[in-house]
Amino acid sequence: MKKRFILLNITMGLFLLDCSKDSTSEPIENPMDDPAMLEAYFPPIDSDEWETISLDFLGWDSDAEQPLFNFLEERNTDAFLVLKNGRIVIEKYFGDFTQNDNHVWNSAGKNLTAMTTGIAQSEGFLSLDDVSADYLGAGWSNLTTEQEQNITVWNHLTMTTGLDYTVDDFYCTDPECLTYKNAPGDFWYYHNAPYTLVTDIISNATGMDFKDYFANKIRNKIGMQGLWLKLGFNNNYFSTARSMARYGILNLNEGMWDGEAILTDKNYFAEMTNTSQDLNQAYGYLYWLNGKENYRVPSLEVAFSGKLIPNAPEDLYAGLGANDQKMYVVPSEKLVIIRMGGDSGETFLGPSNFDNELWNLLNAILKR
């Protein structure tokens, strides 16, 4: 039986329970002849209402929908959404998973930390050029003081700290686990521990617990629900698929939500969702990027030629997590696509063959 998680707000805090309940709301269907359907849409932050738009109205191939659903079900999917300009086109749940159930984002949640960092910088709490020891304190690693002084916040966001990723536990953030391997910026490797420390950097820079800062600056302003939970060394975000879709809409609109600037620094947003360094062209600030000439993937030291997801649009950028948690954003086509679920059989930490197979089926629907 698949696990479902519900968040309960109890006087003493938030708790995750392994349970589920039926959806209590239905998306609002709007007249398909309304020109406003082609404009950007933001679901209300204080309601379960959400406008929908049909495949027929968009000129998509509805006959290709069932093969997609068959594939998703076969590959252990719990939730799948396709949004066009913010409106729901496809919303499908599998098994006993429902619209109200919560699921872990895994490393797709790294995107949340990246945007929160940009907000902290725009508010003057930190700079990406700052030495991370300014916020983590001297001795946060097993490096010398001089070596620590060469690692910046930017290195943490781009997976270029130079810390040794061959340690027994590359999730471990204890100082004894953080040893020297390369000079910062000399090599790219998907090392989770330096990323995890970004939340401590933000907490110490802002003087506010990271979870609270994130909630105040992003979650509450766009109507997301969910919470961060510490599982071992990892900070993992849990939410419904619709909450991940809300964050996708925020990305599609470059940090704007219904006229309000959530992330005011447009330059940071552009840097975050474009190549951040030459070592892995398919990586921004904790975001995965398609359409580049080469890419690297977690757990491997080699670079590959070609696009990250050949079947997907070139301008796609994404949050990609273990067990194929997916948040795809395609600006040129105003698309946000969400997949949550269990292990699809690929067992990769981020990008996987699942991406390309999924986009092959999506292209049939989109008539791309």
Side-chain angles (χ1 to χ4, degrees):
M1 180 178 176
K2 295 178 182 176
K3 294 287 185 181
R4 294 97 59 215
F5 297 94
I6 295 296
L7 297 177
L8 297 181
N9 191 351
I10 303 178
T11 302
M12 295 185 68
L14 288 167
F15 296 83
L16 273 174
L17 300 183
D18 179 17
C19 58
S20 66
K21 62 180 180 179
D22 295 333
S23 172
T24 58
S25 66
E26 294 294 332
I28 294 178
E29 193 74 25
N30 289 278
M32 293 298 104
D33 59 354
D34 183 356
M37 297 299 286
L38 302 177
E39 299 175 357
Y41 169 77
F42 301 87
I45 65 172
D46 56 355
S47 170
D48 290 334
E49 296 178 356
W50 203 311
E51 290 184 5
T52 65
I53 189 169
S54 74
L55 278 75
D56 291 338
F57 176 79
L58 295 170
W60 294 1
D61 187 354
S62 58
D63 291 337
E65 192 173 28
Q66 192 57 50
L68 170 66
F69 291 160
N70 294 342
F71 168 79
L72 291 170
E73 186 168 25
E74 290 167 2
R75 302 299 286 272
N76 209 19
T77 301
D78 289 324
F80 185 77
L81 282 82
V82 177
L83 291 83
K84 176 75 168 182
N85 233 358
R87 294 173 181 80
I88 294 175
V89 187
I90 297 172
E91 182 173 30
K92 181 74 173 177
Y93 299 95
F94 299 86
D96 53 4
F97 199 88
T98 76
Q99 175 185 307
N100 297 313
D101 289 336
N102 291 272
H103 199 288
V104 63
W105 290 35
N106 291 329
S107 285
K110 284 180 167 66
N111 295 175
L112 299 171
T113 303
M115 190 172 292
T116 306
T117 304
I119 294 171
Q121 179 175 256
S122 68
E123 293 185 336
F125 290 113
L126 57 80
S127 169
L128 299 196
D129 295 328
D130 290 342
V131 173
S132 55
D134 291 348
Y135 308 104
L136 297 175
W140 63 269
S141 71
N142 202 29
L143 277 61
T144 66
T145 299
E146 182 180 358
Q147 289 169 339
E148 281 188 352
Q149 288 297 308
N150 290 325
I151 299 176
T152 66
V153 178
W154 180 87
N155 292 126
H156 288 259
L157 290 178
T158 59
M159 299 290 181
T160 60
T161 60
L163 292 170
D164 191 355
Y165 49 83
T166 66
V167 291
D168 291 337
D169 184 357
F170 90 147
Y171 296 99
C172 175
T173 55
D174 293 337
E176 58 267 26
C177 298
L178 305 174
T179 58
Y180 182 89
K181 184 171 178 62
N182 306 109
D186 278 6
F187 196 74
W188 187 95
Y189 194 87
Y190 193 79
H191 190 176
N192 212 71
Y195 150 73
T196 302
L197 290 170
V198 175
T199 60
D200 291 336
I201 290 172
I202 293 173
S203 293
N204 293 328
T206 63
M208 182 182 297
D209 184 82
F210 170 79
K211 298 174 184 178
D212 295 333
Y213 188 75
F214 162 77
N216 290 339
K217 300 300 179 178
I218 297 178
R219 189 192 70 183
N220 299 344
K221 289 189 174 184
I222 67 173
M224 290 178 67
Q225 51 76 245
L227 84 168
W228 293 92
L229 286 179
K230 189 85 168 178
L231 301 176
F233 289 103
N234 285 339
N235 292 318
N236 281 297
Y237 197 71
F238 289 77
S239 82
T240 64
R242 282 192 168 196
S243 279
M244 184 184 274
R246 284 178 179 270
Y247 185 64
I249 294 172
L250 179 65
N251 280 269
L252 185 63
N253 290 275
E254 300 183 354
M256 296 290 295
W257 186 270
D258 201 14
E260 180 182 2
I262 306 300
L263 174 62
T264 59
D265 189 342
K266 297 299 182 184
N267 288 333
Y268 179 89
F269 184 89
E271 293 167 359
M272 179 176 71
T273 55
N274 282 283
T275 301
S276 59
Q277 30 62 51
D278 293 333
L279 302 166
N280 182 359
Q281 293 183 11
Y283 208 69
Y285 296 162
L286 306 175
Y287 277 70
W288 290 97
L289 317 172
N290 199 35
K292 308 303 179 182
E293 294 182 356
N294 63 64
Y295 63 93
R296 294 176 182 263
V297 295
S299 303
L300 295 177
E301 297 182 351
V302 298
F304 299 91
S305 297
K307 302 171 187 175
L308 185 69
I309 311 174
N311 287 333
E314 290 201 356
D315 65 327
L316 174 147
Y317 58 87
L320 305 175
N323 296 336
D324 286 305
Q325 316 313 317
K326 311 290 185 185
M327 182 196 75
Y328 304 121
V329 180
V330 185
S332 63
E333 301 184 28
K334 306 298 183 185
L335 293 175
V336 171
I337 298 171
I338 305 299
R339 187 268 183 187
M340 287 178 160
D343 184 357
S344 72
E346 299 291 345
T347 65
F348 289 98
L349 291 177
S352 71
N353 295 329
F354 179 89
D355 294 289
N356 216 37
E357 295 178 65
L358 175 57
W359 270 99
N360 183 51
L361 292 164
L362 282 169
N363 287 338
I365 292 177
L366 300 172
K367 296 182 176 180
R368 293 183 68 250

